[in-house]
């Protein structure tokens, strides 16, 4: 039995890797899905087609969620597509951008990293909050980096995810009385383009080898946890940052 029939979900960065797995999983559970993308137009179209082939409904909407004007555009186009309410917001868009040491940091890089990981989460939450009805769910994708400071050269990324983790707790308190639950997920090493771009194979093998389950995680495994947090099965869970890391670290 599908658990999200009649629900409407917005997934930022929903066109590839973890975001795509989340879009598809929520659709499999019956939700209508807004697949937000920025650069990956083809991936967004493919994700929508995949959902339609599964019998679901989805639209792709382009928006740079680090920009408030684009978040407003995403909201307006969501209303045009599916009406004046949503039930699930997944703040998934994020990225490392580049590995840089403290001495290599500058203001524009700071704005870029904090913008895509934290500012996006804050202002997408603000924009979509009025559209979330009772028992709505917000799921933020934080990171193991928020717990342990991240790998080499990822200080701003790790700090931005730390901010996402703390913001999640704050929003759980602020929005709880409206019936909105806010949780975050802290993935460990998940095999996606993120690490294809920024992590050497030797490091990936080392981390996977040190993981009790002896492997990298899969995007679908993160998506399954997102779906759980989106359904009523998690109705008394809010303000949590849930680890999904194969046992690599405990918090
Ligand atoms: P990824 O492969 O690098 O994908 C990043 C996603 O973010 C893409 O869908 C991208 O969309 C979107 N995005 C980036 N900037 C955007 C912007 N300005 N506006 C809208 N969308 C934007 O990363 P991933 O591995 O799937 O990670 C997804 C989330 O999980 C991220 O928040 C990441 O930090 C987090 N995470 C990942 C891991 C891991 O091991 N992979 C671990 C912990 C946390 P476009 O391609 O359309 O631009």
């Amino acid at each position: 039995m599908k658990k999200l029939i009649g629900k409407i979900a917005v997934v930022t960065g929903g066109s590839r890797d973890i975001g795509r797995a989340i879009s598809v999983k929520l659709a499999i559970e019956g939700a209508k899905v807004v697949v937000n993308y920025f650069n990956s137009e083809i991936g967004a179209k493919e994700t929508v087609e995949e959902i339609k082939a599964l019998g679901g409904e989805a639209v792709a909407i382009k928006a740079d969620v680090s920009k408030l004007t684009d978040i407003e555009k995403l909201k307006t186009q969501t209303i045009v597509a599916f009406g004046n309410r949503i039930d699930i917001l997944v703040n998934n868009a994020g990225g490392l951008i580049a590995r840089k040491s403290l001495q290599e940091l500058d203001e524009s890089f700071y704005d870029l990293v904090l913008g895509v990981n934290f500012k996006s989460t804050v202002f997408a939450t603000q924009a979509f909050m009025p559209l979330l009805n009772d028992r709505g769910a917000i799921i933020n994708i934080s990171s193991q980096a928020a717990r342990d400071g991240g790998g080499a050269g990822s200080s701003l990324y790790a700090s931005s995810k730390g901010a996402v983790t703390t913001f999640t707790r704050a929003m759980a308190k602020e929005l709880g009385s409206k019936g909105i639950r806010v949780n975050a997920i802290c993935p460990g090493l998940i095999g996606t383009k993120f690490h294809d771009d920024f992590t050497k194979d030797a490091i990936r093998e080392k981390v996977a080898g040190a993981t009790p389950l002896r492997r990298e995680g899969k995007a679908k495994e993160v998506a399954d946890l997102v779906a759980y947090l989106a359904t009523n099965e998690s109705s008394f869970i809010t303000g949590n940052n849930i680890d999904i890391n194969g046992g690599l670290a405990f918090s």
Side-chain angles (χ1 to χ4, degrees), residues 13 15-18 36-40 63-65 92-94 116 141-143 157 161 187-190 192-195:
S15 73
R16 62 182 178 85
D17 293 308
I18 292 174
N36 159 249
Y37 69 97
F38 182 32
N39 293 301
S40 300
D64 174 353
V65 291
N92 165 77
V116 70
I141 308 301
S142 182
S143 173
Y157 171 76
K161 292 299 191 181
L189 177 56
I190 310 297
T192 68
K193 190 170 184 311
F194 181 103
H195 289 293

Side-chain angles (χ1 to χ4, degrees), residues 72-84:
E72 271 310 307
K73 198 179 77 182
L74 175 62
K75 179 179 162 184
T76 305
Q77 291 183 18
T78 296
I79 293 170
V80 170
F82 292 134
N84 207 17

Side-chain angles (χ1 to χ4, degrees), residues 43-192:
K45 284 183 179 157
E46 285 174 0
T47 306
V48 168
E49 288 313 312
E50 183 179 349
I51 288 171
K52 286 183 177 167
L54 290 164
E57 257 187 81
V59 291
I61 300 178
K62 178 171 182 170
D64 174 353
V65 291
S66 68
K67 304 269 189 310
L68 270 65
T69 46
D70 271 33
I71 291 174
E72 271 310 307
K73 198 179 77 182
L74 175 62
K75 179 179 162 184
T76 305
Q77 291 183 18
T78 296
I79 293 170
V80 170
F82 292 134
N84 207 17
R85 91 179 161 81
I86 69 164
D87 303 276
I88 301 154
L89 171 65
V90 185
N91 287 309
N92 165 77
L96 193 64
I97 314 290
R99 292 194 185 272
K100 287 184 192 270
S101 68
L102 176 63
Q103 292 311 316
E104 293 169 322
L105 302 181
D106 60 26
E107 190 176 2
S108 65
F109 184 69
Y110 177 99
D111 290 342
L112 206 56
V113 177
L114 272 287
V116 70
N117 291 291
F118 185 50
K119 184 181 174 191
S120 61
T121 301
V122 172
F123 289 104
T125 301
Q126 185 187 63
F128 281 101
M129 196 275 288
L131 271 59
L132 282 157
N133 61 356
D134 282 356
R135 295 147 88 193
I138 299 172
I139 298 116
N140 299 325
I141 308 301
S142 182
S143 173
Q144 173 63 29
R147 310 275 198 208
D148 64 16
S154 66
S155 59
L156 290 184
Y157 171 76
S159 301
S160 70
K161 292 299 191 181
V164 169
T165 280
T166 300
F167 185 68
T168 299
R169 295 177 182 137
M171 285 301 107
K173 291 186 189 176
E174 188 166 328
L175 304 181
S177 64
K178 297 184 196 300
I180 299 170
R181 295 183 299 108
V182 189
N183 289 290
I185 291 176
C186 297
L189 177 56
I190 310 297
T192 68

Side-chain angles (χ1 to χ4, degrees), residues 3 8 33-34 36 46-47 49 58 65 109 141 159 176 184-185 199 205 218 238 240 250:
K3 295 174 184 146
I8 293 157
V33 182
V34 172
N36 159 249
E46 285 174 0
T47 306
E49 288 313 312
V65 291
F109 184 69
I141 308 301
S159 301
I185 291 176
T199 311
E205 281 161 25
K218 298 172 187 152
T238 195
N240 260 276
F250 307 111

